Amino acid sequence: MQFARGVMASFRIALIQLHVSAVKTENLNRACGFVRTAAKQGANIVVLPECFNSPYGTKYFPEYAEKIPGDSTQKLSDVAKECDIYLIGGSIPEEDAGKLYNTCTVFSPDGTMIAKHRKIHLFDINVPGKIRFQESETLCPGDSFSVFDTPYCKIGLGICYDIRFAELAQIYTQKGCQLLVYPGAFNLTTGPAHWELLQRARAVDNQVYVATASPARDEKASYVAWGHSTVVNPWGEVIAKAGTEETIIYAEIDVKKLAEVRQQIPILSQKRSDLYAVEAKTT
């Protein structure tokens, strides 16, 4: 596998497992503080969790929603530039033309917003006796793929429930992504059952790195996040994993390792396009 001039073969990613409170300004200030800490520890790409500036819940989304650009994204832009890093800003409730979205923004080291992903698949589930949640009661789905380039590799974005849809990861892989990032807040029912399983499945299916950033667990919250932010390599190995508490975890992303896995088990070139296909219907 040839590396383009200027592309680095390995880099450091940091996942911030933030304790999210009901006070937006506090969440923003603490998130930016953790970004600075991660940058000082050598992180090239820093990831915040889903809904990092707001409690997670349909009753909170309208109250905490803001425009993009807005106060929250301006702070993310400023801290990305200050720290000279790529910042994947978890997600925030976004308001646009009277509609609400669950939206992830990405900022380059000069503070420019280079990607905006609106959660494509809304979290509408009902596990009797355990959990019922309907994001569609207040949110609208996004309708586009989100891929961006860095000097390290190409990255594809999803948010939480998006990870359950293998087709999205396959399309990102077709588009050349080597790292898939999913800010997400699984819960105490779906977390132990599927959180790590889905990450390892997406990684092995596509021979990519997968990183997920969860809020820290707060047993007193109305929606209790599972935690356990994770990085999985293309062989399906968990190379970094948080517990449930507020923390930062780090992992080295080695693009050479990805190339080796694809050479050893060349499934991407062995697909039977004469029999089946997964294709994007939009750009």
Side-chain angles (χ1 to χ4, degrees):
M1 179 178 177
Q2 295 294 313
F3 297 107
R5 182 174 296 175
V7 173
M8 301 175 190
S10 67
F11 60 95
R12 193 170 215 209
I13 190 170
L15 309 181
I16 296 173
Q17 187 161 286
L18 183 73
H19 178 272
V20 179
S21 76
V23 183
K24 184 190 281 191
T25 53
E26 178 183 300
N27 294 329
L28 286 167
N29 291 337
R30 295 178 66 260
C32 290
F34 278 115
V35 171
R36 294 183 183 99
T37 298
K40 287 174 184 172
Q41 294 298 316
N44 308 107
I45 295 177
V46 181
V47 186
L48 289 167
E50 180 181 23
C51 221
F52 81 90
N53 73 345
S54 157
Y56 183 78
T58 53
K59 68 180 180 181
Y60 299 110
F61 298 146
E63 177 186 351
Y64 285 78
E66 56 184 86
K67 300 282 190 184
I68 294 177
D71 290 343
S72 293
T73 53
Q74 185 60 53
K75 284 185 170 60
L76 297 182
S77 170
D78 291 345
V79 77
K81 185 174 183 179
E82 173 193 332
C83 296
D84 193 32
I85 49 102
Y86 285 88
L87 178 57
I88 299 174
S91 79
I92 66 170
E94 176 198 8
E95 189 276 321
D96 182 29
K99 293 183 177 180
L100 301 181
Y101 302 90
N102 188 343
T103 303
C104 175
T105 52
V106 180
F107 298 89
S108 67
D110 67 1
T112 302
M113 187 168 72
I114 56 173
K116 185 172 90 166
H117 178 76
R118 288 171 170 170
K119 190 174 189 174
I120 296 173
H121 305 93
L122 295 185
F123 182 53
D124 286 4
I125 69 162
N126 185 9
V127 182
K130 293 188 176 179
I131 183 170
R132 178 188 180 277
F133 199 97
Q134 303 287 317
E135 270 191 329
S136 63
E137 289 174 353
T138 53
L139 299 180
C140 295
D143 58 7
S144 61
F145 302 111
S146 301
V147 171
F148 64 98
D149 285 300
T150 73
Y152 316 111
C153 70
K154 186 176 283 190
I155 297 172
L157 290 176
I159 298 174
C160 199
Y161 201 55
D162 285 338
I163 200 172
R164 289 189 179 272
F165 298 86
E167 297 86 351
L168 178 62
Q170 290 173 48
I171 287 165
Y172 282 156
T173 304
Q174 292 170 11
K175 290 177 177 290
C177 296
Q178 296 171 312
L179 168 64
L180 307 183
V181 177
Y182 298 90
F186 273 42
N187 54 68
L188 301 191
T189 298
T190 61
H194 302 144
W195 177 245
E196 184 180 302
L197 173 67
L198 286 164
Q199 294 171 68
R200 297 182 69 194
R202 297 295 83 84
V204 171
D205 282 351
N206 300 287
Q207 298 175 317
V208 294
Y209 283 89
V210 173
T212 57
S214 169
R217 188 178 303 178
D218 179 359
E219 300 283 358
K220 291 175 269 186
S222 58
Y223 180 96
V224 182
W226 175 238
H228 298 295
S229 301
T230 305
V231 183
V232 180
N233 72 14
W235 194 253
E237 297 168 317
V238 174
I239 58 173
K241 186 175 183 179
T244 61
E245 71 289 345
E246 184 172 72
T247 188
I248 307 173
I249 63 167
Y250 302 89
E252 300 300 321
I253 305 296
D254 185 354
V255 182
K256 295 194 303 295
K257 168 79 172 177
L258 181 147
E260 289 166 4
V261 169
R262 291 183 175 184
Q263 188 171 29
Q264 293 163 5
I265 307 178
I267 57 170
L268 298 181
S269 62
Q270 294 170 331
K271 290 182 182 289
R272 289 290 303 273
S273 58
D274 56 324
L275 296 178
Y276 54 79
V278 173
E279 61 179 5
K281 295 191 174 182
T282 184
T283 56

